[in-house]
Amino acid sequence: MKYFERLGLVREPFSSSPDPGFLFYSRQHITCLQELEIAVRLRRGLNMVIGDIGTGKTTLCRRFVRNLSRNKSISVHLLLDPGFSSARAFLRVLCTQLCGELPDSRLSLWSLKEMIKKALLRMGMREDKTIVLIIDEGQKMSRECLEILRELLNYETNDAKLLQIVIFGQRELEPVVAGMPNFLDRVNFYHKLSPLSFREMRSMIEYRVGKAVGEGCFPPSLFSGPALWTIHRATGGYPRKVVRLCHKSLLQMLIADKSVVTRGTVRRVLREEAQLRRPSRWGWVAAGTAAVVLASGLAAVRYVPEFRALIPGLESALASMSDSGDVLVLPENGPQSLRLGSGLTVGDGGAVEPFIPSSEMPEYFGGMHLAKGESLSEAVRLVYGVYDKDNLKRVLAANPGLRDPDNVPGATELRFPLVVPRGDALPGGLIWVRLGSSSSLEEAHAKLRQFAFFGLDLRLLPQFSRVGGLRFQIVLEEPETSEQEALSRLEKLPLALQKTADAYRPLEGVVLLGQTNAAARKALARAEEAVR
């Protein structure tokens, strides 16, 4: 039995592999993907994404490749290790990818470039395709290879570049590019990835756990609030470090036969890692001896020409050595001011669904079946927020085979047309107590049935975003106007619901498709009275 199965999961939530399906879309990741897609579609040429080790560049790269591959008019070519020994080797690999065959090793640089040029003209002009070259680990590229890319950008029509280039690289690439003004001047989009904030990190952890649960199951709450704060403080918000520490903390939790990762669990893992990294007494002696020997050797090499001639490249390396005494200073700790509470946290929109470049607002919310005793009028109220004749007419028009609206057979799947509310649209400033979420109307309605056993007044909150597509939140019918009020109502829920419930405020760019009902107007009236 695998360890994650003991947690009620079907997949490992904190795998070190760059799985695009587990990529959490923070605001900066969403912005980056959208800007890259726009740049590629407009054929603007050169784009760069820079970030420190562990900020998620490789996973973001894989997700971008997957997104582009869905479009048949885009030809995607990926280079995973661009550390070529020469410009000729680099051009031969590009010829292989773009032309479909390995060129003769005797061809000159000019001939290789001509082969690439003809391939770009054929695919870009005759076949009307967008050719995209995506390079991961861009910091490995030499100046010579970067200059080749700059020359390839000269292949263009009157209004677009024939080759679109996207480079993902570490911070070491920045000074190299800065020293090449002609190359830097060609960069259309330049994005720097930064570590996650505490709220983003918490949402990322919840998102990965949610991805690892079985279909139709609620993700368990595996980390306490203080544990999350300790993880962020120890990792600085770098996704790779967060994933690694969460994985080890879950294993430590299972060993201790506990159900939740606490602050003590995380600190125990950190102490064990510190002990593993700390050299023993004899290790310090060996390290000191090695340092003395190395220093003596360098001194001999520095002053004995015969030794310097034996090692290629040592001359320039010694010339760059200085006595400045530079030291690497690591940040002492993470965030300085984080408020700890009872473990109840305010959500910021939840985990964002995978990026869908071509997503458009659908014609229907979807379909669902009514159980015995459920009326069509109540279903209309749940989906649209209010029941009125216009909404009922829309549903009847979308289901022409429905003979008796008051008696819907259980085998009949009802389709609900999507309606964008106008004057009665829900305002975005309200905060909802959310019990669950789903991308399917049928599944959301099934979850709502389960929660209805607790005697709560509930509604569906349909929403649409270009990033997450269509989604349905299951919320308490009456919203709140402040986070504190939402948390207060959340604490009054039955204990069985408190574990998965949160306070939900829609993110920017999310279109609420529900209509304002009496409960929402009541909350707005309270807000107006408070202002007065």
Side-chain angles (χ1 to χ4, degrees):
M1 183 178 185
K2 298 179 180 179
Y3 84 91
F4 51 82
E5 293 177 349
R6 293 177 57 188
L7 303 173
L9 308 177
V10 297
R11 299 173 63 185
E12 186 178 357
F14 301 106
S15 170
S16 57
S17 301
D19 186 349
F22 275 96
L23 175 63
F24 169 73
Y25 291 91
S26 66
R27 183 166 299 178
Q28 63 170 333
H29 289 92
I30 294 171
T31 301
C32 182
L33 284 174
Q34 289 177 335
E35 293 286 350
L36 285 177
E37 184 204 353
I38 291 171
V40 166
R41 291 184 180 276
L42 295 179
R43 302 185 181 185
R44 302 301 296 271
L46 178 61
N47 309 278
M48 296 182 64
V49 179
I50 302 296
D52 286 324
I53 298 173
T55 49
K57 298 182 300 300
T58 298
T59 309
L60 191 67
C61 174
R62 301 292 193 279
R63 182 73 240 188
F64 186 56
V65 170
R66 178 184 291 184
N67 291 342
L68 293 183
S69 299
R70 297 172 178 171
N71 194 323
K72 295 182 179 180
S73 65
I74 299 178
S75 178
V76 183
H77 305 272
L78 176 63
L79 284 181
L80 296 177
D81 188 2
F84 298 100
S85 58
S86 64
R88 180 185 297 276
F90 182 39
L91 282 171
R92 294 190 72 211
V93 170
L94 290 181
C95 281
T96 304
Q97 291 217 4
L98 298 175
C99 305
E101 60 182 55
L102 182 64
D104 194 311
S105 59
R106 293 169 295 181
L107 290 178
S108 64
L109 293 180
W110 182 88
S111 299
L112 293 172
K113 293 176 186 177
E114 281 299 302
M115 286 184 64
I116 294 174
K117 180 180 179 180
K118 291 178 181 179
L120 293 176
L121 287 171
R122 173 176 54 81
M123 290 188 289
M125 301 291 290
R126 298 177 190 173
E127 300 176 9
D128 194 26
K129 284 192 173 183
T130 301
I131 306 100
V132 186
L133 174 63
I134 300 176
I135 301 174
D136 197 11
E137 301 292 343
Q139 74 279 356
K140 295 182 179 180
M141 298 190 71
S142 64
R143 287 175 175 264
E144 195 177 14
C145 292
L146 291 173
E147 180 62 22
I148 292 293
L149 292 180
R150 188 193 68 80
E151 294 178 12
L152 295 181
L153 290 170
N154 291 329
Y155 302 152
E156 57 187 336
T157 63
N158 291 334
D159 56 356
K161 303 286 185 182
L162 289 175
L163 180 63
Q164 314 308 310
I165 303 172
V166 182
I167 302 176
F168 293 82
Q170 296 176 13
R171 296 284 294 274
E172 299 94 291
L173 184 60
E174 285 187 298
V176 178
V177 173
M180 303 175 63
N182 289 340
F183 184 87
L184 186 60
D185 189 56
R186 299 294 187 95
V187 178
N188 165 69
F189 172 68
Y190 196 95
H191 184 88
K192 286 187 178 181
L193 292 175
S194 57
L196 301 176
S197 66
F198 174 75
R199 176 171 288 189
E200 289 173 332
M201 185 209 72
R202 181 192 63 204
S203 297
M204 183 195 79
I205 293 174
E206 293 172 351
Y207 176 71
R208 295 183 73 104
V209 173
K211 279 286 186 179
V213 299
E215 189 172 350
C217 300
F218 291 103
S221 181
L222 299 176
F223 296 85
S224 68
L228 293 173
W229 176 79
T230 306
I231 291 172
H232 191 274
R233 187 181 181 91
T235 62
Y238 285 88
R240 183 181 300 173
K241 293 180 180 179
V242 171
V243 168
R244 182 172 176 271
L245 184 53
C246 286
H247 170 72
K248 291 194 170 186
S249 297
L250 283 181
L251 294 179
Q252 183 67 45
M253 178 194 77
L254 291 173
I255 292 172
D257 197 23
K258 295 182 178 180
S259 59
V260 176
V261 174
T262 63
R263 182 185 181 188
T265 307
V266 179
R267 296 182 69 178
R268 193 174 301 113
V269 172
L270 293 173
R271 283 196 300 268
E272 290 178 356
E273 289 188 341
Q275 290 174 359
L276 291 174
R277 289 194 297 264
R278 186 181 300 124
S280 64
R281 177 183 176 186
W282 292 109
W284 284 112
V285 174
T289 305
V292 172
V293 172
L294 178 61
S296 302
L298 284 176
V301 170
R302 184 187 292 267
Y303 296 109
V304 180
E306 289 78 9
F307 286 120
R308 299 168 71 154
L310 289 175
I311 305 176
L314 187 60
E315 186 77 29
S316 59
L318 289 172
S320 65
M321 292 176 63
S322 67
D323 299 322
S324 59
D326 292 339
V327 294
L328 178 64
V329 180
L330 297 176
E332 181 179 350
N333 48 36
Q336 299 300 315
S337 56
L338 291 174
R339 179 171 56 86
L340 293 179
S342 61
L344 299 174
T345 55
V346 177
D348 58 353
V352 181
E353 286 293 298
F355 179 78
I356 306 174
S358 60
S359 63
E360 297 177 356
M361 195 172 292
E363 186 179 356
Y364 292 91
F365 280 124
M368 69 180 186
H369 297 79
L370 298 185
K372 185 177 180 179
E374 292 180 333
S375 66
L376 179 60
S377 58
E378 177 63 13
V380 170
R381 185 194 70 81
L382 290 174
V383 173
Y384 297 98
V386 296
Y387 169 80
D388 59 31
K389 293 182 179 180
D390 291 335
N391 287 334
L392 180 60
K393 288 179 181 178
R394 294 188 184 100
V395 175
L396 292 175
N399 299 272
L402 188 60
R403 297 179 180 179
D404 185 3
D406 296 326
N407 186 17
V408 181
T412 301
E413 183 182 35
L414 295 173
R415 295 201 302 171
F416 291 80
L418 188 147
V419 179
V420 179
R422 302 293 181 180
D424 57 347
L426 284 167
L430 297 175
I431 301 174
W432 308 80
V433 176
R434 178 173 60 177
L435 304 182
S437 179
S438 176
S439 59
S440 163
L441 177 60
E442 180 84 65
E443 182 181 346
H445 189 220
K447 291 181 179 180
L448 190 142
R449 285 195 192 104
Q450 298 174 359
F451 295 133
F453 286 114
F454 293 93
L456 302 172
D457 294 326
L458 305 173
R459 68 170 289 175
L460 294 179
L461 195 65
Q463 64 182 44
F464 179 85
S465 69
R466 190 169 180 276
V467 176
L470 190 61
R471 194 160 188 86
F472 302 87
Q473 313 292 348
I474 300 101
V475 298
L476 297 187
E477 186 174 26
E478 185 174 346
E480 301 295 342
T481 56
S482 72
E483 295 178 350
Q484 189 59 41
E485 292 174 347
L487 288 176
S488 177
R489 289 193 64 188
L490 192 152
E491 291 176 327
K492 296 176 182 178
L493 290 174
L495 292 178
L497 299 180
Q498 287 187 21
K499 291 184 178 180
T500 56
D502 65 356
Y504 169 69
R505 185 202 301 270
L507 288 168
E508 293 181 10
V510 172
V511 179
L512 294 179
L513 300 173
Q515 295 172 288
T516 303
N517 59 8
R521 292 191 186 94
K522 184 178 178 181
L524 293 172
R526 291 200 312 270
E528 291 177 358
E529 290 180 3
V531 172
R532 294 173 186 172

